[in-house]
């Protein structure tokens, strides 16, 4: 039996994705955020590689094209370029930052490095509010992040907006549906950015909002039911939102034909196995297999400290354990996974998508052919917040749907350096205190992800009359709508003090607690 991955579009209907916007990614840290903001308009959005052929774009038949920002300068050798023929397709184009510069340079304008660089908030003065700035007027606050800017435009363009140092903050082609803006409408720091993107997606591109998660759920359920027939599906269950939503969708589709496997790899949070089993029993009346695999995972991680190698080894160990358990399940034919759209993008698993790999995902493209299952990934088209909304559509309780995310490699990526049982014991206790105090303070829903990180750092301290030389814990808490960008949580000082006091007093081996005040970007949410 061959290992077959079903494409995301197979879980939807043409009516859901027929109207789509495509984003060409030029290396922007915000490319996924652009796509997410478009989907807020109930319009399907797909991220493609920057050099995709215009003919391929025409085959996809999008209603609009967005050129993302990027770190390069359009005038240097080797700078990423798009197929210039895409400007001749007659499809509306919106260039953002680097994307605007690229469009202007391709159509007769000039881009230069300028001493008047803009990083951060700026006041943008609207000169024409007939298209992109419909329903906006006067001055708006925008977010700039550029060193280059368009210094002159050809006669085919007209300026729509400006700042005090950027005369072409937004432009429009006089005869073609081509637009550009130097600022970033996709970030929350541009308060009217959603309206600007809506004006492009709905008014300029003519999209009608056909991307509805209720319809997606029904289409996915019907497709899975038709595909599976009377055969059995295996689902990896972790207790996280993604796997729980997959299980809920499959359960609605095929009921008792679903078997779930929980791999206890020794890298779970405190009391995680018991919690998963309890929640599973409350919401899914189907087959559950629990595998105790701590010894295997600890052995494969022995002596390993490099983050990507940790992920790789955990991924392969997970596959081996899963395969062994799956062989015990009679008539198992399909394997279901909670792969999300950001996983697909970041792993380079989409042939039309960006190729850069940010991090390894053990549930994307890592299954060996000899595993012998057809692969079902019904969430492959969704972002995290869409998965949460889908979970509510499927009837899962808010306590499960809004649970803070937990990384696939577990505590291994929060235990910096080599992973040992002793370190994990310390980390589990500290992490449990962080989450418990966040809950007690009534801030669990106000924060998006809160956890502890064990640092490979020791420092001098004093406990009682004795000198200590023990480990440090970093507390990480962030607030985000989409997990593509995030701000650190401004937790009350008294809450941080309680966390620190409890961790130092209750967790042996810790004598120092730090609070991580880094945003994403430039930092990531997880430390590894």
């Amino acid at each position: 039996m061959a290992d077959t991955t079903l494409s995301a579009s197979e879980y939807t209907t043409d009516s859901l994705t027929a109207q789509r916007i495509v984003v060409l990614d030029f290396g922007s840290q915000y490319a996924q955020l652009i796509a997410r903001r478009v989907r807020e308009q109930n319009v399907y959005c797909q991220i493609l590689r920057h050099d995709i052929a215009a003919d391929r774009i025409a085959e996809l038949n999008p209603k609009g094209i967005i050129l993302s920002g990027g770190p390069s300068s359009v005038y240097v050798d080797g700078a990423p370029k798009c197929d210039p023929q895409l400007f001749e397709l007659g499809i509306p184009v919106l260039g953002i930052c680097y994307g605007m510069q690229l469009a202007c340079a391709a159509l007769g304008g000039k881009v230069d490095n300028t001493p008047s660089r803009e990083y951060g908030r700026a006041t943008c003065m609207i000169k024409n509010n007939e298209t992109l700035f419909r329903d906006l007027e006067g001055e708006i606050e925008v977010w700039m992040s550029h060193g280059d800017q368009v210094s002159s435009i050809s006669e085919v363009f007209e300026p729509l907006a400006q700042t005090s140092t950027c005369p072409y903050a937004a432009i429009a082609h006089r005869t073609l549906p081509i637009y550009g803006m130097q600022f970033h409408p996709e970030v929350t720091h541009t308060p009217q950015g959603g309206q600007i993107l809506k004006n492009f997606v709905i008014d300029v591109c003519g999209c009608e909002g056909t991307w509805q998660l209720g319809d997606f759920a029904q289409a996915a359920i019907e497709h899975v039911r038709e595909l599976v027939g009377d055969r059995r599906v295996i689902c990896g269950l972790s207790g996280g939102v993604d796997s729980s939503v997959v299980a809920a969708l499959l359960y609605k589709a095929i009921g008792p034909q679903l078997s779930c496997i929980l791999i206890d790899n020794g890298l779970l949070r405190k009391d995680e196995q018991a919690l998963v089993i309890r929640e599973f029993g409350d919401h899914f009346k189907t087959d559950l297999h629990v595998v105790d695999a701590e010894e295997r995972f600890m052995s494969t991680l022995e002596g390993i400290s490099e983050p990507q190698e940790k992920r790789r080894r955990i991924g392969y160990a997970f596959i081996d354990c899963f395969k062994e358990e799956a062989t015990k399940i009679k008539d198992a034919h399909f394997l279901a996974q909670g792969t999300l759209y950001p996983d697909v993008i970041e792993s380079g698993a989409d042939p039309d998508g960006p190729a850069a790999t940010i991090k390894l995902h053990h549930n994307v493209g890592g299954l060996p052919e000899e595993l012998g299952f057809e692969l079902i990934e019904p969430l492959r088209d969704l972002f995290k917040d869409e998965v949460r909304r889908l979970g509510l559509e499927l009837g899962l309780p808010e306590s499960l749907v809004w649970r803070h995310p937990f990384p696939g490699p577990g505590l291994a990526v929060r235990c910096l350096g080599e992973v040992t049982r002793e370190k994990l014991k310390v980390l589990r206790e500290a992490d449990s205190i962080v989450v418990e105090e966040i809950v007690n303070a009534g801030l669990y829903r106000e924060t998006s992800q809160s956890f502890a990180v064990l640092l490979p750092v020791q420092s001098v301290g004093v406990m009682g009359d004795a000198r200590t030389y023990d480990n440090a814990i970093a507390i990480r808490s962030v607030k985000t709508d989409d997990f593509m960008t995030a701000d650190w949580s401004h937790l009350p000082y008294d809450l941080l003090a309680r966390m620190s006091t409890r961790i130092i007093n209750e967790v042996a081996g810790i004598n120092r607690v730090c609070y991580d005040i880094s945003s994403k970007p430039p930092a990531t949410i997880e430390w590894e």
Side-chain angles (χ1 to χ4, degrees):
M1 189 186 307
D3 170 31
T4 305
T5 302
L6 300 173
S7 66
S9 61
E10 293 187 62
Y11 299 100
T12 64
T13 63
D14 290 342
S15 62
L16 284 170
T17 60
Q19 293 190 352
R20 73 177 70 194
I21 301 292
V22 298
V23 176
L24 271 58
D25 183 8
F26 291 89
S28 171
Q29 61 187 351
Y30 300 132
Q32 292 186 34
L33 188 54
I34 297 171
R36 181 62 204 95
R37 294 291 179 253
V38 171
R39 292 194 187 186
E40 288 178 356
Q41 309 303 325
N42 294 320
V43 174
Y44 179 66
C45 190
Q46 181 179 8
I47 299 176
L48 307 178
R49 66 179 189 272
H50 70 271
D51 59 350
I52 189 169
D55 289 347
R56 175 57 180 156
I57 294 177
E59 289 177 9
L60 293 171
N61 193 30
K63 299 285 284 185
I65 302 167
I66 298 178
L67 310 179
S68 83
S72 302
S73 295
V74 298
Y75 48 77
V76 301
D77 292 340
K81 299 290 198 318
C82 61
D83 185 339
Q85 292 184 5
L86 72 82
F87 297 111
E88 302 172 9
L89 294 174
I91 300 171
V93 176
L94 173 63
I96 296 176
C97 196
Y98 181 89
M100 169 186 169
Q101 297 165 14
L102 189 66
C104 286
L107 298 171
K110 186 178 181 183
V111 178
D112 288 311
N113 185 266
T114 171
S116 300
R117 301 182 179 191
E118 291 181 300
Y119 295 99
R121 290 177 174 85
T123 299
C124 184
M125 292 154 280
I126 298 171
K127 302 173 67 175
N128 183 324
N129 64 353
E130 294 180 359
T131 51
L132 291 184
F133 299 101
R134 188 185 306 278
D135 297 328
L136 302 173
E137 59 184 26
E139 297 180 348
I140 62 172
E141 187 178 273
V142 300
W143 183 262
M144 293 284 195
S145 181
H146 66 96
D148 298 337
Q149 67 182 34
V150 176
S151 56
S152 66
I153 56 175
S154 63
E155 66 280 359
V156 301
F157 284 105
E158 64 173 317
L160 300 181
Q162 66 184 56
T163 71
S164 60
T165 59
C166 182
Y168 307 114
I171 53 95
H173 198 284
R174 296 182 187 275
T175 59
L176 299 175
I178 299 174
Y179 304 85
M181 57 187 71
Q182 185 59 67
F183 59 89
H184 289 272
E186 69 273 22
V187 301
T188 55
H189 305 307
T190 300
Q192 281 79 37
Q195 179 65 47
I196 295 169
L197 287 172
K198 178 182 178 181
N199 290 341
F200 177 71
V201 171
I202 304 299
D203 295 343
V204 175
C205 299
C207 294
E208 299 172 352
T210 60
W211 178 248
Q212 303 287 342
L213 284 179
D215 295 336
F216 173 91
Q218 190 56 44
I221 288 169
E222 291 174 0
H223 175 77
V224 168
R225 188 176 292 146
E226 179 181 351
L227 174 71
V228 171
D230 60 357
R231 293 171 291 186
R232 181 162 291 276
V233 178
I234 299 174
C235 178
L237 193 69
S238 68
V241 177
D242 306 338
S243 65
S244 296
V245 172
V246 169
L249 191 149
L250 291 171
Y251 187 66
K252 282 187 175 292
I254 58 173
Q257 293 167 240
L258 172 66
S259 292
C260 291
I261 298 176
L262 169 63
I263 306 292
D264 186 347
N265 55 13
L267 303 171
L268 302 179
R269 289 170 286 197
K270 185 177 180 180
D271 300 327
E272 185 88 356
Q273 184 187 120
L275 177 65
V276 172
I277 293 172
R278 183 172 69 251
E279 289 183 340
F280 183 90
D282 288 343
H283 303 294
F284 310 110
K285 307 302 181 185
T286 190
D287 188 34
L288 174 63
H289 299 246
V290 180
V291 180
D292 182 1
E294 179 182 9
E295 181 62 40
R296 174 177 292 188
F297 280 81
M298 289 299 100
S299 296
T300 195
L301 288 171
E302 185 175 354
I304 304 301
S305 59
E306 202 279 321
Q308 290 289 70
E309 182 63 16
K310 284 185 189 178
R311 287 179 175 271
R312 191 187 69 82
R313 287 178 176 240
I314 290 168
Y316 280 115
F318 176 86
I319 290 168
D320 288 344
C321 289
F322 204 96
K323 181 180 178 180
E324 289 177 8
E325 189 64 26
T327 58
K328 303 174 185 177
I329 300 174
K330 186 179 179 181
D331 299 325
H333 186 90
F334 296 94
L335 172 63
Q337 295 189 141
T339 306
L340 304 190
Y341 192 44
D343 301 337
V344 175
I345 296 167
E346 293 177 1
S347 64
D350 185 343
D352 285 329
T357 299
I358 297 172
K359 60 185 178 181
L360 297 176
H361 294 273
H362 70 264
N363 60 338
V364 179
L367 294 171
E369 290 187 5
E370 64 268 18
L371 194 57
F373 295 103
E374 289 188 56
L375 190 58
I376 298 177
E377 297 178 316
L379 310 184
R380 192 180 172 90
D381 245 358
L382 304 184
F383 288 103
K384 174 69 76 173
D385 58 318
E386 292 177 308
V387 171
R388 293 189 192 280
R389 287 162 48 206
L390 179 62
L392 295 175
E393 289 272 355
L394 294 169
L396 290 176
E398 289 198 5
S399 60
L400 180 57
V401 169
W402 288 103
R403 194 174 186 210
H404 286 186
F406 189 59
L411 295 179
V413 293
R414 296 177 181 174
C415 181
L416 275 58
E418 183 181 1
V419 180
T420 66
R421 287 183 174 83
E422 293 75 19
K423 289 181 179 179
L424 289 171
K425 181 179 179 181
V426 169
L427 178 56
R428 264 193 204 95
E429 293 301 321
D431 182 74
S432 177
I433 290 170
V434 169
V435 175
E436 182 180 325
E437 289 296 336
I438 289 284
V439 171
N440 290 343
L443 295 175
Y444 192 76
R445 282 287 298 272
E446 298 299 315
T447 59
S448 305
Q449 203 166 352
S450 301
F451 54 90
V453 180
L454 181 62
L455 306 181
V457 174
Q458 292 182 309
S459 63
V460 174
V462 177
M463 290 186 178
D465 294 323
R467 175 185 182 275
T468 63
Y469 191 62
D470 281 332
N471 297 305
I473 283 285
I475 297 172
R476 179 70 157 148
S477 181
V478 299
K479 185 172 179 58
T480 176
D481 293 326
D482 44 49
F483 292 90
M484 291 170 279
T485 62
D487 290 326
W488 58 278
S489 303
H490 292 228
L491 299 179
Y493 289 159
D494 59 345
L495 173 58
L496 291 171
R498 284 197 303 275
M499 290 179 180
S500 177
T501 300
R502 284 194 60 193
I503 290 171
I504 291 173
N505 288 345
E506 298 176 26
V507 183
I510 300 297
N511 68 354
R512 192 174 299 272
V513 176
C514 310
Y515 188 52
D516 183 348
I517 58 170
S518 309
S519 294
K520 175 187 179 181
T524 54
I525 294 177
E526 298 289 346
W527 277 50
E528 288 188 344

